[in-house]
Amino acid sequence: MDIGALESGVSGPFVLAVPGVFSAEECSRIEALGRPELTDDGGLVGGVVHHNIRRADIAWLDDRGSGRWVMDRVVDTVASANRRHFHFDLTEFGERLQVAHYSAEVTGHYDWHSDIGDGQLAARRKLTMVVQLSDPDAYEGGALELNASGRAVAAPRRQGDAVLFASFVPHRVAPVTYGRRASLSVWIHGPAFR
């Protein structure tokens, strides 16, 4: 697996792009596991729904049953990226994998936020991984943008690519203006940053 910055310029001490984590066919299989008819209205930490901040449908994958192969790939990717780039003290995957669907029909988006929150698990998030599941030609808008250094940079849009970042890095999903964007999100936990 090639760990490194992609042509988008997404890299730095707290952000890393990883190309080709999943194939296009595997991305379709992951989307099917989190298909829209199984989704809930995406909320914020603590389950609060606020459509001005986040408008998405989400599904949680079974990481021990039908989604075990997805989790196995995620664990391998995270272990390699952390060993070679982040060097964080990580202890567990305390939350299930999340598939999010952002649709132009409802101007799907997620405003600027960080993934560390007040919840019992959210307070211990140290590393976030987001995988692009959709074909980039299937939607417009919907860029995952990260601001780790004072300016927003768009993450890669190539299907199957991932971006990993420290969970305190501000990021957003810009409004989708056409079609539908799907992504896989994973949070990795550990003791508090010091």
Side-chain angles (χ1 to χ4, degrees):
M1 179 175 307
D2 181 26
I3 305 284
L6 297 178
E7 66 278 355
S8 68
V10 176
S11 66
F14 300 117
V15 180
L16 179 70
V18 182
V21 174
F22 294 99
S23 69
E25 186 271 330
E26 290 170 330
C27 288
S28 295
R29 287 174 55 199
I30 295 168
E31 273 199 81
L33 289 171
R35 60 189 183 274
E37 61 269 20
L38 299 178
T39 61
D40 295 318
D41 203 1
L44 310 176
V45 170
V48 175
V49 174
H50 197 306
H51 287 152
N52 289 336
I53 297 172
R54 184 180 195 190
R55 188 70 189 238
D57 293 323
I58 60 170
W60 301 97
L61 299 188
D62 175 7
D63 56 10
R64 295 192 177 130
S66 59
R68 183 178 186 104
W69 65 274
V70 180
M71 189 63 181
D72 289 345
R73 185 83 50 83
V74 165
V75 168
D76 290 346
T77 302
V78 168
S80 179
N82 193 50
R83 194 171 40 252
R84 295 177 60 192
H85 187 80
F86 294 101
H87 311 287
F88 288 170
D89 186 6
L90 303 175
T91 57
E92 65 179 315
F93 291 82
E95 297 171 83
R96 290 184 293 162
L97 309 174
Q98 182 188 98
V99 175
H101 300 271
Y102 299 90
S103 172
E105 292 176 7
V106 293
T107 317
H109 68 282
Y110 199 165
D111 208 353
W112 288 104
H113 66 285
S114 72
D115 287 342
I116 294 178
D118 290 335
Q120 186 177 29
L121 287 170
R124 297 186 307 105
R125 290 176 176 169
K126 293 190 82 170
L127 193 60
T128 298
M129 176 176 168
V130 178
V131 179
Q132 168 78 14
L133 295 178
S134 298
D135 181 321
D137 294 331
Y139 68 96
E140 293 176 6
L144 170 62
E145 298 176 342
L146 301 109
N147 188 344
S149 61
R151 71 178 179 88
V153 177
R157 288 175 62 111
R158 193 168 32 213
Q159 191 174 26
D161 286 357
V163 63
L164 289 88
F165 51 94
S167 295
F168 57 73
V169 170
H171 58 286
R172 76 170 186 153
V173 175
V176 174
T177 58
Y178 168 81
R180 184 177 62 85
R181 173 188 184 267
S183 61
L184 174 71
S185 296
V186 183
W187 300 276
I188 306 90
H189 304 80
F193 286 108
R194 296 192 270 166

